[in-house]
Amino acid sequence: MSKPRLTTLPAWSALQAHFQNVSKLHLRDLFDEDKRRFDRFSLQFNDLLVDYSKNRITDKTLKYLTALATECHLDEAIQKMFSGCQTNTTEHRAVLHVALRNRTNTPVMVGGKNVMLGINRVLEQMQHFTEAIHNGVRRGFTGDKFTDIVNIGIGGSDLGPHMVTTALKPYWKEGINAHFVSNVDGSDMVETLNKLNPGTTLFIIASKTFTTRETMTNAHTARRWFLDHFGNNTDVIKHHFVAVSTNTAAVRDFGIDTGNMFEFWDWVGGRYSLWSAIGLPIALTIGMENFKQLLKGAHEMDLHFRNTPFEKNLPVLMAMIGIWYRNFFAATSHVILPYDHTLRLLPAYLQQADMESNGKRVTIDGESLDYDSGPIIWGQPGTNGQHAFYQLIHQGTQMIPADFMIPLESHNPIGEHHTILLANCLAQTEALMKGKTAAEVARDTPDSLVAHKVFPGNKPSNTILINKLTPRSLGSLVALYEHKIFVQGVIWDINSFDQWGVELGKQLAGVIEKELESDTPVGEHDSSTAGLIDYCRKHMP
Ligand code: F6P
């Protein structure tokens, strides 16, 4: 029996009718009418407080949204993912990043095998390795202790470890620096290498496939740089290069001893891989105990997601409120606003996590969607964004749902900085929600300026307060977003775990790369692309 289309479900129709009423309501009035709105629409989970009261929702909205989740068999989809079913249907793979942080160690079976055995083996390997680097048992070729770690990877093999390593800077071990090279633009590599001493540098080549053009190009350049310093002695490679991959043969071909390889598995999606050995640069900078705390925080969120009724389930609530805006208010984007300098890479990380997962146009069965799927994710840390793009969020013509987040305790308390930061974060959520009416503006403004100074308000946001940004609370926060993305994928009936949309550009780049290097006539292209290739060939140095 074929699945009913999303737009034919009873809860969808109920939401459509309900939207006609709610779209006319102003958040100001909803707060005025219900003094307990914050208590009723906020939830605490360990070190996180999630306030979703400043959303354009009523009790009925949540009732219909959770009914929609039920009608989409969300519960079944969650249990299937956790139990190792082939959730990634187009690649015939299980989706088990949750097993990587399964700290209770209950068996998780894939193809008749308990994947926890492999996971625990690699965690132990990471533990030995990080300890050996930290205590100097493992040293560079010249006998020096390692001081610098360079992660070479891109996409999920870069963004997750880079974001977490940056966010957890206060936990960095003394004497170790981390660097991330992702872009095939030579400037990324050259600028990094210029800062480094080869004798004390460890390279991690991180690539699930070990075929990604950018990563392999950067890896070969690093290898060349290294060998140039050590008189082409390939023996040194085994001291300074390790790999994280699922592709043992390619790692060996590159010249890395498989004893220096950290394995992961095809059921770990690239953008969900920071919990695997892809997290090695995290463990090397903050230590294995802290890395395990990160896993613990994520695992706690996993248990909450798996076991909590939808009405109190944070990832489900955030996802369904996102659906409300995307599919009923037609919001095209969603902004991520961390008020924390160390979380500055979170928007970029969530761009890949969300947009590569839910930027899909067909259902799991390959039928065109007749509703919108994933929004554009963007953002910057506060307060910087306030002085750049908040103007449009406050007074532009679009409604842009926002997620604010801020730790209450700063790792760098100095003067009044943190109070100012916190005040700004809370003030923005209030300003967006309340706005400022023409009557309020007119009290101290000439008539000619009133329209310009009005803030319509009614702009929705979530606020996530984090007691302190620790490995554990960060783990919970990231897992919260991962599951939000999963839930939305289930509602939209799309495969959130493939990424075919990145393939075409890769293939064409392969063709054009060859054409740029040859003198033979440019091949089959449209006149624009052919003209550009031709111009490049004539003008390239
Ligand atoms: O091109 C997209 C992508 O496949 C991402 O999904 C992935 O995270 C990234 O490239 C890197 O892939 P790999 O880890 O195989 O080098």
Side-chain angles (χ1 to χ4, degrees):
M1 205 178 65
S2 69
K3 275 184 269 182
R5 302 284 290 190
L6 175 62
T7 49
T8 64
L9 294 174
W12 184 276
S13 309
L15 282 162
Q16 272 178 325
H18 177 65
F19 171 74
Q20 301 308 322
N21 302 327
V22 174
S23 59
K24 294 185 201 105
L25 303 178
H26 198 291
L27 277 167
R28 249 187 202 230
D29 301 323
L30 293 174
F31 273 96
D32 283 347
E33 284 158 19
D34 177 6
K35 298 296 172 212
R36 291 192 56 249
R37 189 172 166 89
F38 168 76
D39 297 334
R40 295 193 314 104
F41 292 153
S42 62
L43 283 170
Q44 202 177 342
F45 173 82
N46 291 350
D47 274 2
L48 311 183
L49 173 99
V50 181
D51 170 21
Y52 53 97
S53 61
K54 290 193 182 97
N55 281 295
R56 295 178 65 174
I57 54 169
T58 64
D59 291 299
K60 260 196 188 157
T61 322
L62 289 180
K63 192 177 117 201
Y64 294 140
L65 285 170
T66 47
L68 183 65
T70 304
E71 287 172 18
C72 291
H73 306 286
L74 175 61
D75 207 22
E76 207 179 293
I78 296 172
Q79 302 317 329
K80 273 186 167 172
M81 175 176 74
F82 276 88
S83 50
C85 291
Q86 284 199 358
T87 295
N88 179 352
T89 45
T90 59
E91 296 179 316
H92 312 291
R93 290 174 184 168
V95 172
L96 275 177
H97 46 281
V98 290
L100 298 167
R101 59 227 190 184
N102 171 18
R103 304 305 295 153
T104 34
N105 217 4
T106 43
V108 181
M109 309 303 285
V110 174
K113 280 196 190 148
N114 179 10
V115 298
M116 292 314 300
L117 301 176
I119 290 170
N120 291 332
R121 181 176 34 79
V122 175
L123 279 172
E124 243 174 69
Q125 187 192 2
M126 288 170 71
Q127 173 113 34
H128 287 142
F129 184 73
T130 49
E131 281 171 7
I133 297 286
H134 292 153
N135 60 26
V137 166
R138 185 163 170 153
R139 290 171 180 252
F141 179 66
T142 49
D144 291 321
K145 258 185 112 172
F146 287 109
T147 57
D148 292 272
I149 291 144
V150 182
N151 189 77
I152 298 180
I154 197 165
S157 300
D158 167 74
L159 289 162
H162 196 176
M163 181 276 287
V164 171
T165 304
T166 307
L168 297 178
K169 181 102 199 242
Y171 295 86
W172 283 25
K173 295 263 173 197
E174 227 184 282
I176 294 274
N177 269 310
H179 313 263
F180 291 82
V181 177
S182 55
N183 201 330
V184 74
D185 180 340
S187 302
D188 197 1
M189 181 56 87
V190 170
E191 283 177 14
T192 306
L193 293 180
N194 282 345
K195 292 185 264 191
L196 299 170
N197 166 3
T200 56
T201 300
L202 176 77
F203 290 95
I204 302 172
I205 315 300
S207 175
K208 181 173 172 181
T209 54
F210 229 73
T211 57
T212 303
R213 188 84 174 107
E214 293 92 328
T215 299
M216 296 328 295
T217 305
N218 280 329
H220 281 285
T221 299
R223 191 173 187 272
R224 185 70 267 149
W225 173 82
F226 200 76
L227 291 176
D228 286 348
H229 277 84
F230 286 104
N232 268 336
N233 178 356
T234 47
D235 265 4
V236 298
I237 296 293
K238 68 171 178 290
H239 294 268
H240 289 261
F241 281 72
V242 300
V244 183
S245 187
T246 59
N247 187 345
T248 312
V251 168
R252 205 181 291 119
D253 287 350
F254 180 84
I256 294 178
D257 188 298
T258 46
N260 285 328
M261 173 179 160
F262 296 80
E263 186 191 6
F264 68 115
W265 306 271
D266 69 355
W267 38 262
V268 183
R271 53 194 173 274
Y272 298 91
S273 63
L274 74 88
W275 322 99
S276 71
I278 287 289
L280 188 61
I282 306 173
L284 282 167
T285 42
I286 66 172
M288 202 59 194
E289 286 318 306
N290 279 324
F291 183 71
K292 286 182 182 166
Q293 285 296 310
L294 180 82
L295 300 182
K296 182 175 184 214
H299 180 55
E300 287 167 342
M301 183 56 76
D302 295 342
L303 295 177
H304 165 83
F305 177 53
R306 199 175 178 182
N307 300 323
T308 311
F310 294 164
E311 301 74 35
K312 298 271 175 221
N313 190 315
L314 285 171
V316 174
L317 287 169
M318 283 181 62
M320 297 313 295
I321 292 170
I323 298 269
W324 179 229
Y325 294 133
R326 183 75 185 108
N327 297 114
F328 298 89
F329 283 82
T332 53
S333 83
H334 187 106
V335 66
I336 305 291
L337 302 167
Y339 278 64
D340 184 295
H341 183 64
T342 68
L343 279 178
R344 62 190 176 278
L345 298 182
L346 187 70
Y349 166 77
L350 288 177
Q351 267 177 341
Q352 187 201 15
D354 200 318
M355 293 166 79
E356 200 167 73
S357 297
N358 286 345
K360 306 289 162 65
R361 52 174 288 283
V362 295
T363 64
I364 287 186
D365 294 332
E367 286 176 34
S368 294
L369 301 184
D370 56 2
Y371 44 85
D372 285 314
S373 60
I376 297 161
I377 303 293
W378 60 291
Q380 260 195 37
T383 60
N384 296 6
Q386 289 177 205
H387 300 273
F389 54 77
Y390 279 38
Q391 164 66 39
L392 184 145
I393 308 180
H394 282 288
Q395 286 190 318
T397 51
Q398 316 183 33
M399 185 190 85
I400 303 178
D403 287 357
F404 289 83
M405 60 205 72
I406 185 165
L408 301 186
E409 183 180 339
S410 169
H411 280 289
N412 295 296
I414 174 169
E416 314 161 291
H417 287 247
H418 201 65
T419 312
I420 297 173
L421 186 71
L422 185 53
N424 272 277
C425 176
L426 302 183
Q428 287 298 326
T429 72
E430 187 176 33
L432 286 168
M433 184 278 282
K434 267 194 176 163
K436 195 167 181 185
T437 63
E440 285 166 347
V441 174
R443 280 183 211 141
D444 54 8
T445 306
D447 284 356
S448 62
L449 279 183
V450 169
H452 298 275
K453 293 183 131 191
V454 165
F455 287 73
N458 217 11
K459 311 280 188 189
S461 66
N462 293 307
T463 305
I464 305 178
L465 301 182
I466 307 159
N467 288 350
K468 185 175 181 179
L469 195 65
T470 61
R472 186 174 161 203
S473 59
L474 181 63
S476 297
L477 181 73
V478 176
L480 167 64
Y481 276 97
E482 284 182 344
H483 294 319
K484 173 199 160 181
I485 293 164
F486 171 78
V487 171
Q488 294 190 332
V490 172
I491 304 300
W492 287 322
D493 190 25
I494 56 182
N495 183 353
S496 300
F497 299 100
D498 60 11
Q499 56 284 316
W500 300 108
V502 301
E503 293 304 324
L504 180 59
K506 285 187 198 173
Q507 285 161 18
L508 296 185
V511 174
I512 294 176
E513 192 186 321
K514 289 198 185 78
E515 288 174 340
L516 286 172
E517 281 167 350
S518 88
D519 298 328
T520 52
V522 174
E524 283 281 303
H525 295 283
D526 59 274
S527 67
S528 161
T529 312
L532 292 168
I533 295 171
D534 198 43
Y535 186 92
C536 292
R537 293 209 306 199
K538 285 192 185 117
H539 294 87
M540 271 177 6

